[in-house]
Amino acid sequence: MEIDFEKSGGLVPAIIQDSATRQVLMLGYMNREAYEKTLAEKRVTFWSRSRNCLWTKGETSGNFLDLVDIKVDCDNDTLLVRATPHGPVCHTGTDTCWGEENTANPLLFLTELQDFINKRHEEMPEGSYTTSLFKDGINRMAQKVGEEALEAVIEAVNGSDDRLLYEASDMFYHLIVLLTSKGLRIEQVADELAERHKPGWKKH
């Protein structure tokens, strides 16, 4: 990875993003030494412009940023650093330097689940329930989606909210398995819904 440290006098902006929530946490600056220290120690280190020295985030507060990965932009002069934060990132005590809460959007987990099921489909490990569904074939997977949908309907009409959420979760899981078997992803369902939300959309 080529980084142009010389363009701005030896420093490049480093945008810090929570790898799990995708929330932007802060902006710092790195020189080559800070960048190399970050890679070597797997903890985000900056160049402090006010103190004129290296500064590992969390060295005094304990709120370290564990490195996940680093990407450089198209001009090779700005870094996107994905990290796992340990506690608030801002010196004021807030989660981010913009005063926002660093909370995950639960919908992001659907992509994680999709990736996990894709991996099951590729590797087909023995003893996995997901593997057994793939081996049973399309008819069985479709049947399971129908069964779980019916159970969700029953809970909606005569059951509790907790049981409705439980059965709806089963339905989503089996639907993702079915989609995966057809070479599709849950994000494509989201794309379809987004398309329908546009003004002027007409049913096929």
Side-chain angles (χ1 to χ4, degrees), residues 110-111 179 184-198 201 204:
L110 290 178
T111 291
L179 289 168
L184 302 171
R185 290 181 60 95
I186 192 66
E187 292 93 341
Q188 290 173 267
V189 177
D191 287 340
E192 173 65 21
L193 291 171
E195 189 67 28
R196 295 183 185 191
H197 193 63
K198 293 179 180 178
W201 176 83
H204 302 314

Side-chain angles (χ1 to χ4, degrees), residues 1 3 7 14-15 21-23 44 48 52 58 62 69 83 91 97 120 148-149 165 174 177 180 189 195 200:
M1 181 166 60
I3 304 170
K7 184 182 291 187
I15 302 164
T21 67
R22 302 186 186 179
Q23 180 78 45
V44 178
S48 172
N52 203 36
D69 60 37
H91 70 281
C97 288
R120 282 286 192 261
E148 301 300 343
L165 288 172
H174 286 93
V177 171
T180 303
V189 177
E195 189 67 28

Side-chain angles (χ1 to χ4, degrees), residues 123-198:
E123 299 176 354
M124 299 289 278
E126 292 296 329
S128 162
Y129 174 66
T130 307
T131 297
S132 71
L133 287 172
F134 287 129
K135 286 184 175 180
D136 286 344
I138 193 71
N139 289 344
R140 178 57 176 159
M141 287 180 274
Q143 179 186 358
K144 287 298 296 180
V145 173
E147 288 175 0
E148 301 300 343
L150 178 59
E151 290 178 8
V153 169
I154 292 171
E155 293 299 334
V157 174
N158 294 314
S160 66
D161 289 348
D162 287 344
R163 290 300 304 177
L164 172 58
L165 288 172
Y166 184 91
E167 299 299 346
S169 298
D170 278 350
M171 181 184 69
F172 268 99
Y173 160 76
H174 286 93
L175 176 60
I176 294 174
V177 171
L178 177 63
L179 289 168
T180 303
S181 73
K182 302 288 288 185
L184 302 171
R185 290 181 60 95
I186 192 66
E187 292 93 341
Q188 290 173 267
V189 177
D191 287 340
E192 173 65 21
L193 291 171
E195 189 67 28
R196 295 183 185 191
H197 193 63
K198 293 179 180 178

Side-chain angles (χ1 to χ4, degrees), residues 63-84:
N63 298 333
F64 292 101
L65 292 167
D66 290 342
L67 179 67
V68 174
D69 60 37
I70 300 179
K71 295 180 180 179
V72 65
D73 76 338
C74 55
D75 292 324
N76 298 324
D77 61 3
T78 301
L79 302 178
L80 176 62
V81 181
R82 295 199 309 146
T84 301

